[in-house]
């Protein structure tokens, strides 16, 4: 089974948790795309769903599939959000933001009653950090933040695209850092978010309710107590 097949398997299992008349948060990325396609099938078969996208890319796909899209301010609470992850550990801690949508993804997660993360089996790790941690920053403060992160020995690299600084949907920059040697991720999160100009990090430490991993011998479900 390929990684993409595992992603699809996990996505198809996750959409089984969606019920009629729910408000659904739609994640971003290659794994989430399988989920969005499956949600489109539910809508086509007559299910009434209202969906909140976590990125402009996700919104575009959803609208093409005929999925009803609303802005976050139009609803009170999201019933269920399904999203992917770049890494996930045994404590339901995640690194997200490889696709650049970490800020909106975290906003959706915080405003959701039940968060499901879907991933292929390669995303499950014993320790987070082989995948670089994305940090979304205000362009005005980027130089000083890079200096701070360098002094913290996090080996920061500003993300680029086509020779220019990568821009998020909120028109911010992203800096990717190395956290593999960091033991206390909660302390790191607190320290980073105290820095003026750092908008958000890709550490999702306590938002996940259910993790579904695609697997050759069948999907693996991990429920958070």
């Amino acid at each position: 089974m390929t990684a993409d097949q595992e992603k699809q398997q996990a996505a198809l299992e996750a959409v089984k948790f969606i019920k009629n008349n729910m408000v659904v948060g739609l994640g971003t990325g290659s794994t989430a795309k399988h989920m969005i396609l499956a949600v489109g099938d539910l809508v086509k078969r007559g299910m009434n769903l209202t969906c909140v996208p976590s990125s402009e890319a996700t919104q575009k796909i959803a609208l093409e599939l005929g999925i009803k899209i609303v802005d976050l301010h139009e609803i009170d609470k999201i019933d269920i959000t399904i999203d992917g992850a770049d890494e996930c550990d045994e404590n339901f801690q995640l690194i997200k933001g490889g696709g650049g949508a970490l800020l909106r993804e975290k906003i959706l997660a915080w405003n959701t009653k039940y968060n499901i993360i879907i991933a292929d089996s390669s995303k499950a790790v014993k320790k987070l950090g082989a995948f670089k941690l994305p940090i979304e920053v205000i362009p005005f403060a980027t130089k000083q933040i890079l200096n701070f992160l360098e002094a913290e020995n996090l080996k920061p690299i500003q993300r680029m695209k086509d020779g220019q600084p990568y821009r998020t949907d909120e028109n911010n920059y992203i800096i990717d850092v190395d956290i593999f040697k960091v033991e206390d991720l909660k302390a790191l999160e607190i320290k980073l978010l105290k820095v003026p100009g750092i908008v958000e990090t890709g550490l999702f430490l306590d938002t996940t309710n259910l993790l579904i991993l695609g697997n050759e011998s069948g999907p693996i479900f991990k429920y958070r107590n």
Side-chain angles (χ1 to χ4, degrees), residues 196-217:
I198 290 182
V199 181
E200 192 51 85
T201 83
L203 284 172
F204 286 60
L205 301 179
D206 56 7
T207 56
T208 304
N209 300 105
L210 169 62
L211 174 64
I212 305 178
L213 295 171
N215 187 269
E216 182 76 41
S217 57

Side-chain angles (χ1 to χ4, degrees), residues 66-84:
I67 297 171
K68 179 185 176 182
I69 293 295
V70 298
D71 290 331
L72 184 61
H73 68 81
E74 296 179 64
I75 54 98
D76 292 323
K77 201 74 174 177
I78 300 170
D79 294 303
I80 187 171
T81 289
I82 304 173
D83 204 352

Side-chain angles (χ1 to χ4, degrees), residues 41-219:
D41 286 339
L42 294 179
V43 171
K44 182 182 275 188
R45 295 203 298 267
M47 189 174 285
N48 179 44
L49 300 175
T50 300
C51 297
V52 183
S54 59
S55 67
E56 292 173 7
T58 288
Q59 177 169 309
K60 182 175 183 293
I61 297 169
L63 289 174
E64 290 172 350
L65 293 170
I67 297 171
K68 179 185 176 182
I69 293 295
V70 298
D71 290 331
L72 184 61
H73 68 81
E74 296 179 64
I75 54 98
D76 292 323
K77 201 74 174 177
I78 300 170
D79 294 303
I80 187 171
T81 289
I82 304 173
D83 204 352
D86 297 300
E87 280 188 346
C88 51
D89 70 12
E90 296 173 350
N91 297 314
F92 296 87
Q93 299 181 131
L94 319 172
I95 288 179
K96 291 173 52 56
L102 63 100
L103 177 56
R104 292 191 188 181
E105 288 173 339
K106 191 170 280 190
I107 291 170
L108 258 61
W110 193 82
N111 286 283
T112 295
K113 298 174 185 176
Y114 198 79
N115 282 289
I116 300 177
I117 293 297
I118 53 177
D120 64 87
S121 57
S122 72
K123 302 299 191 299
V125 297
K126 290 191 174 181
K127 179 176 173 54
L128 297 181
F131 191 93
K132 299 297 185 287
L133 173 69
I135 301 173
E136 185 157 343
V137 303
I138 298 293
F140 176 75
T142 300
K143 179 182 177 182
Q144 283 69 29
I145 293 171
L146 283 165
N147 291 341
F148 167 79
L149 296 171
E150 190 67 52
E152 291 291 317
N153 198 32
L154 294 174
K155 303 173 184 175
I157 298 176
Q158 184 171 350
R159 190 178 296 186
M160 306 293 285
K161 182 178 181 180
D162 300 326
Q164 299 294 323
Y166 175 89
R167 293 272 186 171
T168 70
D169 285 350
E170 302 300 324
N171 212 31
N172 293 321
Y173 293 161
I174 286 184
I175 298 172
D176 295 300
V177 299
D178 184 351
I179 65 164
F180 192 72
K181 294 182 179 179
V182 176
E183 294 300 327
D184 192 337
L185 295 179
K186 289 184 179 179
L188 174 66
E189 174 89 335
I190 292 168
K191 177 185 283 189
L192 292 176
L193 292 177
K194 284 183 177 179
V195 178
I198 290 182
V199 181
E200 192 51 85
T201 83
L203 284 172
F204 286 60
L205 301 179
D206 56 7
T207 56
T208 304
N209 300 105
L210 169 62
L211 174 64
I212 305 178
L213 295 171
N215 187 269
E216 182 76 41
S217 57

